[in-house]
């Protein structure tokens, strides 16, 4: 606003251009760091997506969700429970959709729920230089609650407990706290190694 006023008073095209650039950047950051409210619905034993994005891979009973720059980057608890383990690992910044992104900086969060242990891994991408987590070991989280944020392009991997089946496929688009990722097996058998489209 100050630059715009100065540009007008001084009749400066340079200040006008700088003012426009600052305005555009402000709008971009407001849009990028948006954090819309989400309504959590469905049975409590259904594991929800922890992130907005696209399923880019499914392996070893783990769904990999890639968040591009257009997605909401706030991560949410996929299930209610207690955080029993957190482990941060420094690393590089390969594109987060690469299979060898296990070398990237990451943060492991393990949530002990009434239905078993859920593993969630926040992975930094090419542009990302910061992974924020809002809780610590010993804290309790509620399904759908904001649990952290990864800035710019990044990935979140989610692994359900034994006795669950992933119900997403590669290429599916999901929304944090809204889209179901995995459901409990109704047969009572452990089919955790199988999933739709796997």
């Amino acid at each position: 606003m100050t630059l715009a006023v100065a540009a007008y008073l001084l009749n400066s095209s340079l200040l006008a251009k700088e003012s426009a650039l600052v305005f555009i950047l402000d709008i971009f950051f407001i849009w990028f760091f948006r954090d819309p409210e989400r309504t959590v619905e469905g049975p409590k034993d259904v594991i929800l997506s922890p992130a907005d994005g696209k399923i880019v891979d499914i392996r070893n009973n783990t769904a990999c969700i890639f968040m591009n720059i257009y997605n909401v980057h706030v991560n949410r608890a996929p299930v209610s429970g207690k955080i029993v383990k957190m482990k941060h690992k420094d690393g590089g910044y390969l594109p987060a959709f690469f299979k060898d992104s296990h070398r990237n900086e990451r943060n492991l969060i393990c949530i002990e729920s009434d239905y078993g242990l859920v593993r969630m891994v926040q992975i930094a991408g090419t542009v990302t230089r910061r992974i924020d987590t809002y809780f610590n070991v010993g804290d309790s989280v509620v399904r759908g609650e904001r649990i952290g944020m990864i800035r710019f392009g990044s990935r979140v991997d989610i692994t359900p407990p034994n006795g669950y089946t992933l119900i997403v496929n590669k290429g599916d688009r999901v929304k944090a706290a809204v889209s179901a990722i995995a459901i409990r097996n109704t047969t009572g058998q452990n089919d955790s190694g199988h999933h739709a489209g796997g």
Side-chain angles (χ1 to χ4, degrees):
M1 180 62 75
T2 303
L3 278 176
V5 172
Y8 175 77
L9 294 176
L10 298 175
N11 194 25
S12 169
S13 60
L14 177 60
L15 283 179
K17 291 178 181 178
E18 290 180 352
S19 174
L21 178 60
V22 170
F23 177 76
I24 292 171
L25 288 174
D26 285 344
I27 293 299
F28 170 77
F29 281 108
I30 291 172
W31 170 80
F32 179 82
F33 289 104
R34 66 196 186 282
D35 183 11
E37 293 296 327
R38 298 281 168 86
T39 300
V40 180
E41 299 178 345
K44 294 181 179 180
D45 61 346
V46 171
I47 294 176
L48 301 178
S49 176
D52 287 18
K54 180 179 180 180
I55 305 293
V56 292
D57 198 11
I58 295 178
R59 56 183 127 101
N60 301 323
N61 200 40
T62 296
C64 306
I65 306 165
F66 177 70
M67 299 182 293
N68 63 34
I69 197 170
Y70 306 108
N71 294 126
V72 172
H73 278 60
V74 175
N75 301 148
R76 293 174 179 264
V79 69
S80 296
K82 182 178 180 179
I83 297 177
V84 294
K85 180 179 181 180
M86 289 182 63
K87 184 177 182 181
H88 182 269
K89 176 185 175 184
D90 292 329
Y93 298 95
L94 291 169
F97 52 82
F98 280 14
K99 289 190 175 182
D100 56 355
S101 59
H102 61 274
R103 302 174 184 174
N104 286 23
E105 179 182 354
R106 63 190 49 234
N107 188 54
L108 167 68
I109 303 172
C110 294
I111 303 172
E112 186 64 55
S113 72
D114 291 340
Y115 315 103
L117 187 70
V118 178
R119 297 177 77 255
M120 171 179 164
V121 183
Q122 298 169 297
I123 303 172
T126 308
V127 182
T128 310
R129 289 297 182 271
R130 184 172 180 180
I131 299 175
D132 294 327
T133 305
Y134 306 154
F135 293 90
N136 296 302
V137 173
D139 290 341
S140 294
V141 294
V142 177
R143 191 175 69 142
E145 184 176 13
R146 297 169 179 86
I147 198 171
M149 181 179 189
I150 316 176
R151 301 173 190 275
F152 301 100
S154 43
R155 198 176 95 197
V156 177
D157 292 355
I158 179 78
T159 306
N162 291 335
Y164 271 77
T165 298
L166 291 170
I167 58 170
V168 290
N169 295 284
K170 186 175 179 180
D172 288 351
R173 294 195 176 277
V174 294
K175 291 183 70 175
V178 174
S179 303
I181 290 287
I183 58 174
R184 281 205 296 172
N185 300 328
T186 57
T187 60
Q189 298 178 346
N190 180 5
D191 295 326
S192 61
H194 304 280
H195 53 80

